[in-house]
Structures are given as structure tokens and as C-alpha cells.
Amino acid sequence: MSILPQTTQRRLKKIPQIPGVVWEGDRRSLLGLKTSMEPEHEGAEECVIWVDGSEGFVRAMDVVSVDAGPEAIVRTFLRAIETPHRPAKPARPQKIVVRNKEIHFFLRGVLQNLDIDIELIPELPLIDELFRGFEEMNHSRPPALPETQEAALKKTALEIWQEAPWYVLADYDILSIKINQWGVDTLYACVMGMLGQEYGVILYRSLDSLKQFRLAALEKKSLEQLEKAFLSQDCWFLSYEAIETSESDDDDDDEGVDLSNLDVSQIRPVFGSVHPYEGIRPYLDEEEAIAVNVALQSLYRFFRNTQAELAEETLQPISKRFRISLTSESDQETISTTVTTLPELSGEFLAMVEQVEDDDDDDDFDDDDDDENSFSLKEDLIPDNSFLSLGMISWEMHEQIRTRPQIYYQNQNCPQKGDGLPIIMVQTSRPKAKEIIQRIKEGGGLKAICFNPGEDPFTDATYDLGILQLNNGDLYLFGEFIGDDPEHMKARKNWENRSQKSKGYCGLIIAMGVTGSSRGNPQLSDMLGLFEAQVMKSKDLDLGVLQLLPHFD
């Protein structure tokens, strides 16, 4: 244990000490407030708090990990002295009281020479009352779904999950659902999930809201502007998430698991509302729940009845009427709804998407024209913070990957020679991995992988530059390796030996899970793409030694 530095003590002693003032300090678990936290963090955090017992307000409060040491309570205490929450002003208390013996002992050692009495008492009335209030607020929140509608809504949601309309409908394919009940005239439904990122259904209560959000999402806006546009929506939503199990607690990729790989028993539907005045509301009242269930049942039956027509390349005009049973007490047992495709609106949204893509292509073309050299090594394919490695997969693993339908596979008919296929492994988040795969596909697929020498003329450092060549001729940098690094030199030598045994064939594996427990060692379930390719010699690219030069905006 160490006391505060003398310079810190002198600084704190310059702050006036108020006679008779007593502060309460404690460290409390946030487990009782779990509904306001992300599920995976339940019980993993604690609140450090200091309250002015004389004035009755919080001077400083921090949320820390349960693993944080006792130093955390000192850091928060010093903030309470020097930079307290408003309206408090900097001040030192005459006495502080705590209820924990270890904290009491620790503070007595660290805060000596500050002329502050430190007392151990069994209860902290102000902090106790504050946390009772937090818990009451937490428990007073309404349930996510009303009890009378919960079973019916979840049943409908899981039926939609099993039917998987996102394999047929894109998010720009819009359907109208006419209800004309409970103050709801027509809802405008779009299905999420064709890109394999977020699965669900959005029911817009306003066509203007739908159009405004689409425009905002397609424009190149800042993150703050996109968040504002998102919160300006007027809709109900159904989304899906994985049910946590003890087996999956350690596999916490920030981007989440691939829900399409899970059994329906491992999927949980989530309902809520977004409105400009309410923000995101994670629950539905009874009237809303009835309306949402009627809309989702109508959508489910419409998709089952017209799946073949919806699967056509262009959305066709289709309209169907349904009688939907109500699950709550009502004067009428069923309600009539009409579901209609909106090909013109869907075509309008599709044209907007294509226009944005064309503009991006034009920008790329203009950039190429401005460059007098035809050669251009691009650096925007592999995201920053990706995990890169050179290695090999056995032919048995190669066969498992090749036959797994969830993994995109580019076949170059490589012979199964040697111990296995030499590969470059790129591990990133799931959405970014899918974006890499899509961009390689749009470039005609992967043609070759090459290592080319590079140098920094300012430091004389040498590099081994990993380069991907696509079939459309584009060259992408995937890694900069220090040329004389012993580990890389060994990996590169093994790579070349294996490439000779595989008759010049290699592979690029794109995997997710860079922030999870499988970082650096992705499992089969983490792999999203395998591209077989040729190994290319640097002399065949004829790029010479590439120089690392600064970029100026």
C-alpha cells in the first residue's frame, strides 16, 4: 500500500475543508440494475459512489469492473474533492464514512496526512436510499410484452424465423399491410436479413418515415447524422438475438454469433418501437402488441402463399386478403387485413441503391484517371485491426470448408498435394468479413497472392508486402511484414515450401471472431469464405521495390 504523492497531498490541502461535512462512500454491484445493462455484462460491473451527507447529493460516481482494485474508490474520491458533479464545488470533507472493512483499512493508509477522519459504520443511509430508488425505478419498468400477448407474439415471430423471408425479399422490397384498426391504417413492412447481418421485420407506421430513413441511410452521412436519422423513424420492429448459454459465455465476439447457424431453440425474438419523441422503446403495450401480431401474422401467411412469385427477379404486383384471429378479448374474433406488394416503391429504392453504387464506381474511375501511372496498389480491402497469419490447413479441413454451405468457396481445382493448402488467414468482425468477400466477388474473384519487397526510404527499414490480385486486375495490400522479423521469415519460408508441394496453389480464408476467444485461432464456425488462388512471384507482377511514402490530404 502506498500513500498519495506529496505533491498531490499539497494540492489537495489547498482545497478548502468544510467543517462538519461528512461524506458517504461505497462500492456496489450493479446486478440489481441488470435490465438497464447489456445482458452479457450483468453483474460484471460495480458502481463507486461518494455522496455529500450534508447537502444530500452525489459528488462523484464511476462504473468499474468487478476486477478493479481498491484504487478505484480513491480515484473517485479525489474527483469528488477536485472536480465534483454540479452544483457541488471543490471541497474536502472533515470526515468520510464507509461500511466495508477492507475499504476502510485501505483508505486509512492512502489518505493519511489529509486531515480527514475515516470511520467504519454498519450502514450508509444516503447511499442505501439512493440504490433502493434505482431498484424501484428498475422494477417499475413495464415488461417487454404484455402477458396476454406474449405467447402469441413469440409464436408468430418464430414461425417467421423458420420461414426465413429474408432469403427471398431484399430490404428494399416493401409490402403494405392494411389493418384499419386501433388507430392503425396501413403499415409498411420491410424484411432485414438478406445480407446476413441483422434479421427481422420493420413495420413503419408512416411512409414518409420509411422514405426519409432510406435517403439518410444511402447518403454519405456522419455517424451522428445516421444516429439522428435512425431515431427519427416511426416504426415497430421485430429482431432476433441468440439465447445465451453457459457454453457460449466465453465466445463473445462483439459482432455476435451468426444466427443463421443456430437452431430455432437458440433464437429469441425482440420487439420494440422507435419514434422521434420516444426514441427506442424496448417494450410494447397491449394495443400495440395486438396490432404488431396481426401485421406479422398477415406477413407470414402472405409469404407462405406467394413465396414462388416473390422469388422472381423483379417484385410483381400481388395483393392478398386474410382473416386474422385476435388473441385478446374483443367484440370480434377475427380482423380482415390486406397485404400488397409495392413494386414501384421497391423499384425506386433499388434505383437509389444502384445510383449510390454507380457514383462510387465513378469516383474510383476518376481517381484512376487522375493517376498518370496505370499501377495502383489499394489499401482499403482489409480493415484495420484485422488479425493476419500465414499458415496451412490440412486437406481434411479443406474438405470440411469446401462442403460447408455457410462458407463461400471459390474453387480453382487445386490438387491435393503435400500436407495441406498454404493459406493467408484474415480474421475480422463478421460484417467486415462479409464485406471483404463481397468486394472480392465483385472484382471477379481472387486470382493470385504475392509477396513483394518494400522499403521505407526515411528509415531504411525493409518490408515484405502481402498483395492480393483480383481477376479484374485490382491489387490490394493485405499486410506489411517487417522484412527481417525472425517469426515472419520462418512463416514465409514454410509458406514457400508448402506452395511448391501444392503445385503453386494457395488460399485466402476470411473469418470472423477477431474480438472473441477464437482470436488468432478461428474455428470452422468462424470461417466465412475460402478463395483458392495461385501463388505469384514478385517478378511476375514486375512492381519492383515499393516505397512507403507519406500521404498528404
Side-chain angles (χ1 to χ4, degrees), residues 1 11 28 34 82 97 105 141 180 215 244 257 299 304 347 355 371 425 428 464-465 491 508 544:
M1 182 189 302
R11 187 181 77 245
R28 302 280 177 103
K34 61 184 179 181
E82 296 187 284
V97 293
F105 178 75
R141 298 178 69 177
N180 197 25
L215 284 171
E244 293 181 13
V257 297
L299 181 66
R304 291 200 65 181
Q355 182 62 49
D371 191 353
M425 179 77 72
T428 181
D464 210 9
L465 304 179
L508 171 68

Side-chain angles (χ1 to χ4, degrees), residues 57-86:
F57 51 67
V58 176
R59 290 190 65 92
M61 182 166 62
D62 282 319
V63 175
V64 300
S65 166
V66 292
D67 299 323
E71 298 83 4
I73 198 164
V74 178
R75 288 193 293 268
T76 308
F77 177 68
L78 297 187
R79 283 206 304 107
I81 292 176
E82 296 187 284
T83 56
H85 296 322
R86 293 183 179 180

Side-chain angles (χ1 to χ4, degrees), residues 47 81 152 178 254 273 275 311 317-318 334 347 368 436 526 532 549:
C47 175
I81 292 176
K178 190 171 183 62
D254 283 349
S273 170
H275 189 275
I318 311 170
T334 62
D368 292 341
I436 295 172
D526 297 313
E532 293 178 359
L549 297 175

Side-chain angles (χ1 to χ4, degrees), residues 115-312:
D115 302 325
I116 298 174
D117 294 332
I118 305 170
E119 186 176 332
L120 180 68
I121 62 175
E123 294 182 352
L124 302 172
L126 280 176
I127 294 180
D128 291 341
E129 181 63 29
L130 189 63
F131 271 79
R132 274 196 296 270
F134 288 158
E135 292 178 1
E136 288 175 3
M137 289 174 57
N138 202 44
H139 295 151
S140 66
R141 298 178 69 177
L145 296 172
E147 185 177 350
T148 56
Q149 305 298 323
E150 183 176 9
L153 263 174
K154 289 183 176 179
K155 178 177 180 293
T156 303
L158 293 178
E159 287 174 342
I160 291 175
W161 174 263
Q162 291 177 304
E163 202 63 33
W166 34 83
Y167 290 143
V168 175
L169 293 171
D171 61 359
Y172 53 74
D173 291 326
I174 309 301
L175 309 177
S176 70
I177 306 174
K178 190 171 183 62
I179 295 178
N180 197 25
Q181 191 68 259
W182 310 294
V184 178
D185 181 13
T186 301
L187 298 174
Y188 300 90
C190 70
V191 174
M192 302 179 297
M194 181 167 279
L195 295 179
Q197 296 180 12
E198 299 286 345
Y199 298 93
V201 178
I202 303 179
L203 301 170
Y204 284 92
R205 293 176 288 233
S206 161
L207 186 57
D208 288 340
S209 173
L210 169 59
K211 290 183 175 181
Q212 289 170 8
F213 180 70
R214 286 306 171 95
L215 284 171
L218 289 173
E219 293 177 2
K220 296 178 179 178
K221 290 180 175 281
S222 67
L223 185 62
E224 291 78 9
Q225 290 172 315
L226 281 175
E227 182 179 0
K228 181 180 179 181
F230 178 84
L231 294 175
S232 296
Q233 294 180 102
D234 182 11
C235 63
W236 289 307
F237 64 83
L238 158 66
S239 61
Y240 297 90
E241 64 182 17
I243 297 175
E244 293 181 13
T245 62
S246 57
E247 290 81 3
S248 62
D249 286 345
D250 294 333
D251 188 15
D252 53 353
D253 186 343
D254 283 349
E255 306 296 341
V257 297
D258 186 344
L259 299 184
S260 64
N261 292 334
L262 301 181
D263 184 77
V264 65
S265 63
Q266 298 174 282
I267 299 296
R268 172 169 51 210
V270 178
F271 297 88
S273 170
V274 183
H275 189 275
Y277 297 153
E278 295 183 286
I280 303 175
R281 174 161 50 84
Y283 60 88
L284 302 176
D285 67 23
E286 185 161 5
E287 190 173 277
E288 289 178 313
I290 296 172
V292 169
N293 191 38
V294 166
L296 293 178
Q297 283 193 50
S298 302
L299 181 66
Y300 169 71
R301 290 171 60 176
F302 180 81
F303 184 77
R304 291 200 65 181
N305 291 348
T306 61
Q307 186 169 355
E309 296 97 311
L310 294 175
E312 295 182 14

Side-chain angles (χ1 to χ4, degrees), residues 44 63 95 140 229 251 268 310 327 434 479 498 502-503 545:
V63 175
K95 183 169 72 173
S140 66
D251 188 15
R268 172 169 51 210
L310 294 175
T327 57
K434 283 188 167 289
R498 291 162 177 162
S502 65
K503 304 301 180 182
V545 178

